[in-house]
Amino acid sequence: MASQQRFSRTGCSVTVVVDIDAAIGYVVAHGDPVERARLSYLRTGQAPDPQVIDRITAGQSEAGGWPATHDGPVDSVDATCFRLNELDDLGGLHGEPVDRALAWLASVQRRDGTWQESETLAAEAPAWAMPGDPEATLYLTAVAGFWMTVAEFEAHPQFDVPARYGHTLGAAAQWVVGQLRPDGTWPSFLAAGWHAAGLLYGQQYFYESARVQLVLGDRLPDMEPADIASMAAALRRVNLGDDWLLQSARKRLGETQRTDGGWDSAEGPNFDVNTTLTVLRACR
């Protein structure tokens, strides 16, 4: 049966039908063991088989990061944040592997508060992680800062104690604030926006975070389902996001669900299950 969610804005009520059961069925039918474990955690909070976590942490280097490619010689900021995201989806954003990853991220932050990939990765880096590129620098700084913020939030949901990496996050947030344009936009990729909003919120740049969210709301009608899901899931992860923004995001997700229960990924059909799982997380 479809799951109905009622949302309202400016006094106007609408009904958005999100077929949660169909989305679950799509993941069960097409997901791999890790993706099905993510689904179980989302639905019931069930801890995954330790082997699932081991599959993710197996590639972690002695330094604490993850390489960009299997058995790669150099750890990658982007790959390490991706692995932290995977662990978080399984309720595993804690423990020794995560502590080592956070310590590594802090150790490779640049003096100006930013993160960049190693120059040795330039030949294989995608556009969003290209060493030395200003747009990539803003994106990686927002993403690394966001996941360090999420890890602090996981340990202390009320932010009621000093952050372990307060200096690291403070430097990152201050630099990101300096990159925002007067209208709240940013000179980087779309995904830098919602990650920056979470980082800035965690560092009490509430006004700047809200400005970024307003821009995201303006861009919502043109976003791909995968971006909408990622944005909503990220903002929810740190208890952030105005009601109207998250409600509008869920409405758009309801409108873009396929008849088989899944959603299209911007990266091709092989990633549709991941997008569907992110939607479920955003609508949980």
Side-chain angles (χ1 to χ4, degrees):
M1 179 181 294
S3 173
Q4 290 190 341
Q5 303 181 28
R6 294 182 179 275
F7 305 133
S8 64
R9 183 181 180 189
T10 62
C12 299
S13 296
V14 296
T15 299
V16 179
V17 178
V18 178
D19 196 336
I20 298 297
D21 289 342
I24 291 171
Y26 180 81
V27 175
V28 170
H30 301 282
D32 62 24
V34 172
E35 289 166 333
R36 289 194 291 271
R38 288 170 59 192
L39 177 65
S40 294
Y41 179 73
L42 279 172
R43 293 181 65 192
T44 66
Q46 177 182 340
D49 187 300
Q51 291 183 349
V52 174
I53 298 294
D54 291 343
R55 287 179 59 180
I56 298 173
T57 60
Q60 189 174 24
S61 74
E62 291 186 7
W66 276 264
T69 58
H70 181 66
D71 292 332
V74 180
D75 287 347
S76 160
V77 174
D78 187 50
T80 298
C81 291
F82 177 80
R83 296 304 180 191
L84 290 175
N85 190 353
E86 281 193 314
L87 290 170
D88 190 46
D89 273 354
L90 294 162
L93 201 66
H94 51 76
E96 187 261 348
V98 172
D99 290 341
R100 290 174 53 215
L102 297 176
W104 179 78
L105 284 173
S107 74
V108 297
Q109 186 183 38
R110 294 158 62 90
R111 289 186 177 182
D112 61 358
T114 64
W115 277 273
Q116 288 188 17
E117 295 287 21
S118 167
E119 289 288 345
T120 61
L121 297 175
E124 60 192 83
W128 62 84
M130 185 61 63
D133 180 77
E135 293 187 23
T137 299
L138 178 51
Y139 171 76
L140 288 178
T141 301
V143 171
F146 174 83
W147 281 108
M148 294 189 80
T149 297
V150 171
E152 299 289 5
F153 184 79
E154 176 76 6
H156 302 285
Q158 304 303 320
F159 289 110
D160 55 351
V161 298
R164 291 170 294 176
Y165 295 103
H167 178 75
T168 300
L169 291 170
Q174 184 176 20
W175 185 86
V176 169
V177 166
Q179 308 309 303
L180 297 181
R181 300 179 179 123
D183 61 358
T185 60
W186 52 93
S188 185
F189 307 99
L190 179 65
W194 57 81
H195 289 102
L199 166 63
L200 296 179
Y201 175 77
Q203 292 302 300
Q204 300 185 6
Y205 287 97
F206 301 127
Y207 172 70
E208 290 81 0
S209 178
R211 286 168 57 206
V212 171
Q213 291 177 71
L214 285 172
V215 173
L216 290 169
D218 288 340
R219 295 186 178 181
L220 187 62
D222 299 320
M223 283 189 194
E224 297 291 334
D227 286 332
I228 297 172
S230 295
M231 178 193 71
L235 296 180
R236 286 203 61 209
R237 186 61 181 86
V238 291
N239 288 344
L240 181 61
D242 291 332
D243 286 345
W244 70 266
L245 178 55
L246 291 181
Q247 290 170 3
S248 298
R250 291 168 184 152
K251 179 178 183 292
R252 286 285 297 136
L253 291 172
E255 293 168 350
T256 55
Q257 186 176 19
R258 300 191 311 237
T259 56
D260 65 357
W263 280 263
D264 292 332
S265 167
E267 300 177 75
N270 289 340
F271 295 90
D272 287 356
V273 173
N274 181 68
T275 296
T276 302
L277 280 164
T278 306
V279 171
L280 288 170
R281 184 167 187 168
C283 294
R284 181 173 59 173

